[in-house]
Amino acid sequence: MQRDPYSVLGLSNDATREQIDEAYYSLKSDCEAKLFEEGKVGTDASRKLAEIERAYSDCLEDLDKRISFDSFGSNYGEVEQLIKDSRIDEAQRKLDTIEPRDAEWHYMQSVIYYKRNWHIESKKQLEIAVALDPDNAKYKRSLDKMTAQMNGAQGGGEARSSEQQTVRGGYTQPNSADATSMACCNTCSTLICCDCLCECCGGDLIPCC
């Protein structure tokens, strides 16, 4: 029966990458020093080295799983994944259950509003996020890009507030006339808008901005 890989390396199950590496290289060095000795010593060292190599690989694989769970197993991680999957209604419902409503909450609400093409409401949420966490570069960068986009599109009619939207299925939706107007923004404005919330919209669309 294969031993627990963490036990082989003399570690606990919550060991960090640095601890795993340190234990592995230390044990490997000890085995390699005995590897070419005659008799049982050399044979045992060879067997132990193979066990260490296997344990090291298993520990790194488990560490990757733990990191992935910490990232996407959290509440905000679930909301972000739902947004990436274009399951916007589910993302909103999940976000509504999260308390307290900190800066990240308002940032994620901004992303959801942006996905619904509610740019004015999206910008308001970004402003709240920045006010709550003024040193966060992600929030500030997103707000700056959103502000620049909206200033450049003034008079174009693509940004509508919630007062101009009708209720459908529990969520406010743009009127058909408003939706048509929203679609009329020029190509440059649209690209900047797509780029402004890059964390949940597939990366940096416009690297130069």
Side-chain angles (χ1 to χ4, degrees):
M1 182 177 179
Q2 185 176 342
R3 293 173 59 192
D4 174 66
Y6 291 99
S7 296
V8 173
L9 299 182
L11 299 170
S12 61
N13 291 350
D14 60 351
T16 65
R17 175 61 187 261
E18 291 75 16
Q19 292 171 328
I20 293 172
D21 284 344
E22 182 179 359
Y24 165 69
Y25 287 113
S26 176
L27 292 171
K28 180 182 178 182
S29 178
D30 290 342
C31 288
E32 288 178 337
K34 303 174 183 177
L35 197 58
F36 297 105
E37 293 188 22
E38 296 182 357
K40 187 174 185 300
V41 175
T43 301
D44 287 347
S46 177
R47 185 180 301 112
K48 180 66 175 177
L49 184 60
E51 184 180 35
I52 291 170
E53 294 286 356
R54 187 165 53 249
Y56 179 63
S57 176
D58 289 346
C59 284
L60 292 184
E61 182 179 351
D62 181 68
L63 179 63
D64 287 341
K65 291 178 181 178
R66 284 191 281 132
I67 293 174
S68 177
F69 179 82
D70 289 343
S71 175
F72 292 102
S74 66
N75 287 331
Y76 288 128
E78 291 179 28
V79 173
E80 183 174 353
Q81 191 59 47
L82 288 168
I83 293 172
K84 288 180 178 178
D85 294 340
S86 298
R87 296 158 63 184
I88 304 304
D89 288 352
E90 292 179 58
Q92 183 67 69
R93 286 193 290 270
K94 180 63 181 178
L95 186 65
D96 287 343
T97 68
I98 299 176
E99 295 289 347
R101 298 190 172 184
D102 54 12
E104 186 67 11
W105 189 95
H106 289 283
Y107 174 78
M108 297 306 299
Q109 182 65 82
S110 174
V111 175
I112 290 175
Y113 282 161
Y114 170 77
K115 283 288 190 176
R116 296 184 185 278
N117 290 323
W118 302 351
H119 300 159
I120 291 176
E121 303 304 328
S122 178
K123 181 174 179 288
K124 288 178 181 178
Q125 292 298 317
L126 278 176
E127 290 170 344
I128 296 173
V130 171
L132 291 173
D133 189 0
D135 295 326
N136 189 295
K138 178 179 70 174
Y139 304 157
K140 292 171 65 177
R141 183 172 59 250
S142 297
L143 179 58
D144 287 345
K145 290 183 177 181
M146 175 66 80
T147 301
Q149 182 274 326
M150 295 184 70
N151 287 342
Q154 281 182 351
E158 83 285 1
R160 302 291 178 182
S161 71
S162 57
E163 294 178 356
Q164 296 171 292
Q165 298 158 351
T166 57
V167 176
R168 183 181 302 166
Y171 294 100
T172 53
Q173 299 285 348
N175 296 321
S176 59
D178 289 338
T180 301
S181 180
M182 288 179 191
C184 295
C185 62
N186 60 50
T187 301
C188 185
S189 296
T190 301
L191 287 174
I192 296 174
C193 188
C194 289
D195 185 57
C196 71
L197 294 172
C198 61
E199 292 293 326
C200 290
C201 296
D204 190 11
L205 183 61
I206 309 176
C208 64
C209 296

